[in-house]
Amino acid sequence: PRRMQERLKTVFNLTLDKGIDDVQVAVGAYGDATNGERVPLQISQFESDNRIDDALDNIFIEGMGGGNNGETSNLLFYYLAHHTTLDSFEKRGEKGKLYVIADEKQVPINARHIKDFIGDAQPLGDLSFGGIAADLTKTWDVTILLINNYSAKSQRSLEFYSELFGPDNVIVVQDADTIPETIAALFAFDMGRPIDSITADLATTAGKEVATRVGATLEQRGSKAGTLR
């Protein structure tokens, strides 16, 4: 996580400086609200310049969790569903793009977690896995970048997230070291940039090997969507 935190700074330029106008980016982190973490939810403001670097610097990697077969990305999803305002959605009906790094599946959260970590006296929606996902996808297009490690396989995380968001929206990451570039490239692709243009930029900024690996992920995305732009 710390390596990703640092390297994400260098790859946002792939989208912010390459012809996609008026991009607003927020970054966040989640942990496990049910397992004694102090800061299981962190999220920045939306930024359109290098202040996003400061937001990345301010994310605290707590390094706890484990032992209870899951994490609480659902706490983050609840927050995004009920406590964000998207100019693109309000003015044009265009959903936000959410890219989530995950390995473990979710564990349930309850009203106390919502009150303690977000401040809502009462939950603003259904707190079941499916209920939160349904509220989230009203305003966000969700992509899960799944690191299919031992924990993910033993918990059947691929099946879990595929059921929540559909199999087309879950991408198994072949190389975790390329996740920052993959996020930037997927966003550029989802906003309409062609694959060959994205990989050409990646070859310049990150090297041909990274460009090849990320390009394979984009091809996977394109084939699922039924188009290769």
Side-chain angles (χ1 to χ4, degrees):
R2 290 179 178 85
R3 289 178 61 192
M4 292 182 201
Q5 183 180 25
E6 181 60 33
R7 290 175 57 227
L8 273 168
K9 298 179 186 180
T10 67
V11 298
F12 277 127
N13 290 337
L14 186 65
T15 56
L16 299 183
D17 294 342
K18 295 294 180 180
I20 301 176
D21 297 328
D22 301 320
V23 176
Q24 298 284 317
V25 177
V27 294
Y30 67 88
D32 187 352
T34 71
N35 207 31
E37 291 196 358
R38 294 171 291 162
V39 284
L41 174 64
Q42 301 170 72
I43 191 162
S44 75
Q45 296 289 338
F46 290 94
E47 306 288 3
S48 58
D49 53 28
N50 60 7
R51 282 175 291 188
I52 202 65
D53 291 355
D54 296 332
L56 281 162
D57 283 338
N58 288 333
I59 288 178
F60 172 56
I61 306 297
E62 190 161 7
M64 293 179 65
N68 64 334
N69 290 315
E71 296 172 321
T72 52
S73 58
N74 39 346
L75 189 68
L76 171 64
F77 294 170
Y78 172 93
Y79 184 91
L80 293 173
H82 298 293
H83 291 282
T84 55
T85 300
L86 303 180
D87 184 72
S88 62
F89 186 78
E90 293 193 343
K91 292 184 177 179
R92 300 184 298 279
E94 181 181 341
K95 293 182 180 182
K97 310 296 184 186
L98 175 63
Y99 303 91
V100 182
I101 304 166
D103 56 354
E104 299 192 33
K105 64 180 181 62
Q106 297 174 348
V107 291
I109 56 175
N110 58 39
R112 180 173 180 178
H113 299 125
I114 297 299
K115 182 177 181 181
D116 288 350
F117 296 111
I118 294 177
D120 296 343
Q122 296 294 329
L124 301 178
D126 180 0
L127 295 186
S128 68
F129 299 136
I132 293 175
D135 287 338
L136 177 68
T137 54
K138 290 176 182 176
T139 51
W140 292 90
D141 289 325
V142 180
T143 298
I144 302 295
L145 297 173
L146 183 68
I147 302 173
N148 204 23
N149 55 23
Y150 175 81
S151 293
K153 290 176 180 176
S154 64
Q155 296 172 20
R156 299 176 60 87
S157 298
L158 177 59
E159 292 82 356
F160 177 86
Y161 286 109
S162 294
E163 184 175 345
L164 277 185
F165 299 111
D168 290 353
N169 298 312
V170 181
I171 294 177
V172 175
V173 177
Q174 303 300 320
D175 181 359
D177 285 340
T178 66
I179 282 178
E181 290 85 0
T182 298
I183 291 173
L186 280 169
F187 177 72
F189 179 73
D190 291 342
M191 294 300 292
R193 287 195 65 200
I195 291 177
D196 57 355
S197 173
I198 298 169
T199 54
D201 286 339
L202 273 176
T204 300
T205 60
K208 291 184 178 180
E209 185 176 352
V210 170
T212 299
R213 294 176 186 172
V214 175
T217 299
L218 295 182
E219 295 284 352
Q220 179 187 161
R221 174 71 136 206
S223 64
K224 286 183 175 182
T227 179
L228 294 176
R229 292 192 289 268

